Amino acid sequence: MSVILAIESSCDDTSVAICNNGKITANVIANQTIHQNYGGVIPELASRVHQQNIVPAVQQALIDAKVTKQDINAVAFTRGPGLLGSLLVGVSFAKSFALALNIPLISVNHMHAHILAHFIDDPKPNFPFLCLTVSGGHTQIVLVKDYFDMEIVGETLDDAAGEAFDKTAKILQLPYPGGPLIDKHAQKGNPLAYKFAEPQIADLNFSFSGFKTSILYFIRKQEKENPNFIAENLNDICASVQHSIIQILMKKLKKAAVEYNIKEIAIAGGVSANSGLRNTLQNMAVELDWKVYIPAFQYCTDNAGMIAIAGYQKFLKQDFVGQEVSPMARMEF
Ligand code: KG4
Ligand code: ZN
């Protein structure tokens, strides 16, 4: 029997989940809207808001899961990677909670958890599988051999795919986080309206910083000829940018599938909520005879459900950490 309380506070969402014998019975996500005023996450504000949100989020999770504090057998928390001030709130809370109830602590790597979110619902992937992890801070192709036996076989050399979405949105004067808004406008636009230079990067790696600059120059040039260019063509611009990002991601994912001779393919991380990416992957499944795994929306962007399921796997192995544990802004994969 195991009831695990999980805390996620690596960036700007305070999330608390409960895993009851391998099933997620609560997944509370308190979004921080304050950052919209600044066009990006302000670390100092994020940690302050985590501090305000964490106890109400825990109380709500206990209510949702119909359990009491005394029913909890272990506390799992995100140790890193992430914003140090944000992580500190979650880690300190988890340590205090575990100390007060005299229960074990489980340390979880945020990037492992994004991938292990695939073990929340059915169908679950079979090992080994390849996972394209695309978030605001990471873009990786991971060879997943077992729950905690993972190898990064390709990654971005500069910006992440989520940053490419968010920075493009900023150029287009859309509010933060721009990814979901680009997705929304893209659904009404022509993906082939504009073409952007595709980065030429070796192996299974990615680069998005030049791509972002090429979008900036393209928009500036168009605006010189027509100051209303963005407003008049927003849907087509979003659709074309999104299409290009998906093409860049898919090219390397296909290459990895051939190199590793693997047809079990998953996506994870915030950008895996993108409707264009999800549809493209479904089409690939038919075209290339892949078995694809796409997480439910609530488990794509940052959430404690994924920390809880990763914590559950560690609980089964009795893989605990001591009270001396501290957060890590950068954490070894
Ligand atoms: O995994 P996540 O919630 O946080 C990190 O660990 O970074 O990912 C956040 C990223 C942001 O860049 C956000 O714009 C992007 O995921 N995102 C999307 C969509 N939903 C979230 N990007 C494109 N389309 C979406 N529908
Ligand atoms: Zn994340």
Side-chain angles (χ1 to χ4, degrees):
M1 287 290 285
S2 68
V3 181
I4 296 165
L5 178 84
I7 310 288
E8 154 62 32
S9 71
S10 64
C11 191
D12 60 337
D13 295 323
T14 319
S15 184
V16 179
I18 289 178
C19 180
N20 196 331
N21 284 320
K23 293 261 165 292
I24 302 301
T25 50
N27 187 35
V28 176
I29 303 174
N31 298 118
Q32 301 186 2
T33 50
I34 191 163
H35 307 286
Q36 283 169 2
N37 304 332
Y38 303 91
V41 177
I42 309 293
E44 163 85 21
L45 290 177
S47 37
R48 284 171 190 272
V49 182
H50 279 307
Q51 195 77 264
Q52 291 159 1
N53 286 351
I54 196 149
V55 171
V58 168
Q59 282 166 337
Q60 188 58 50
L62 293 171
I63 293 168
D64 291 355
K66 300 185 176 64
V67 292
T68 67
K69 284 191 280 261
Q70 283 66 33
D71 296 322
I72 307 290
N73 303 120
V75 187
F77 62 93
T78 303
R79 186 176 183 196
L83 301 171
L84 193 63
S86 290
L87 291 165
L88 262 168
V89 178
V91 176
S92 304
F93 178 89
K95 286 168 68 165
S96 313
F97 195 90
L99 187 68
L101 289 171
N102 195 25
I103 53 176
L105 274 170
I106 302 170
S107 153
V108 175
N109 180 313
H110 181 86
M111 299 313 294
H112 286 173
H114 268 301
I115 295 171
L116 296 177
H118 283 286
F119 294 90
I120 294 176
D121 291 329
D122 286 329
K124 300 178 172 71
N126 299 297
F127 299 115
F129 65 93
L130 287 170
C131 187
L132 172 71
T133 313
V134 269
S135 71
H138 294 80
T139 301
Q140 302 171 333
I141 298 177
V142 180
L143 172 61
V144 188
K145 298 173 219 168
D146 205 341
Y147 291 108
F148 297 100
D149 185 3
M150 306 185 190
E151 185 189 336
I152 299 171
V153 296
E155 65 187 326
T156 184
L157 305 177
D158 41 58
D159 289 356
E163 266 176 290
F165 273 102
D166 295 339
K167 288 180 178 170
T168 301
K170 208 166 184 178
I171 296 170
L172 300 176
Q173 286 141 35
L174 295 171
Y176 178 86
L181 290 169
I182 294 205
D183 189 353
K184 197 173 132 218
H185 289 290
Q187 289 172 30
K188 295 174 273 179
N190 173 9
L192 303 176
Y194 309 107
K195 244 184 120 43
F196 303 103
E198 200 184 294
Q200 301 300 321
I201 303 294
D203 306 322
L204 297 173
N205 294 325
F206 302 93
S207 164
F208 284 103
S209 85
F211 175 77
K212 171 198 70 195
T213 312
S214 80
I215 293 168
L216 180 66
Y217 289 161
F218 167 78
I219 299 286
R220 277 196 190 149
K221 186 162 169 266
Q222 298 294 325
E223 279 188 319
K224 267 194 193 142
E225 290 159 25
N226 172 9
N228 288 329
F229 176 73
I230 294 178
E232 286 171 13
N233 301 285
L234 187 59
N235 293 342
D236 284 351
I237 303 169
C238 289
S240 301
V241 169
Q242 179 173 300
H243 177 75
S244 300
I245 295 174
I246 293 169
Q247 293 309 304
I248 294 166
L249 294 172
M250 284 303 141
K251 192 173 159 187
K252 295 298 172 97
L253 191 56
K254 270 193 205 172
K255 193 168 153 65
V258 172
E259 264 180 40
Y260 288 90
N261 192 23
I262 290 178
K263 284 178 181 278
E264 296 267 320
I265 311 285
I267 51 170
V271 181
S272 64
N274 183 267
S275 61
L277 181 60
R278 294 166 86 93
N279 291 338
T280 307
L281 205 67
Q282 296 285 16
N283 295 339
M284 292 274 197
V286 178
E287 193 188 314
L288 299 170
D289 193 26
W290 283 357
K291 198 144 182 252
V292 299
Y293 300 89
I294 300 173
F297 281 110
Q298 73 264 34
Y299 301 126
C300 289
T301 44
D302 289 347
N303 67 91
M306 67 185 196
I307 307 301
I309 203 77
Y312 172 67
Q313 287 301 331
K314 287 200 166 183
F315 184 88
L316 294 177
K317 297 195 297 173
Q318 303 279 289
D319 183 354
F320 303 134
V321 290
Q323 278 285 340
E324 70 286 354
V325 68
S326 60
M328 296 179 83
R330 291 173 182 275
M331 191 171 174
E332 281 281 300
F333 193 78

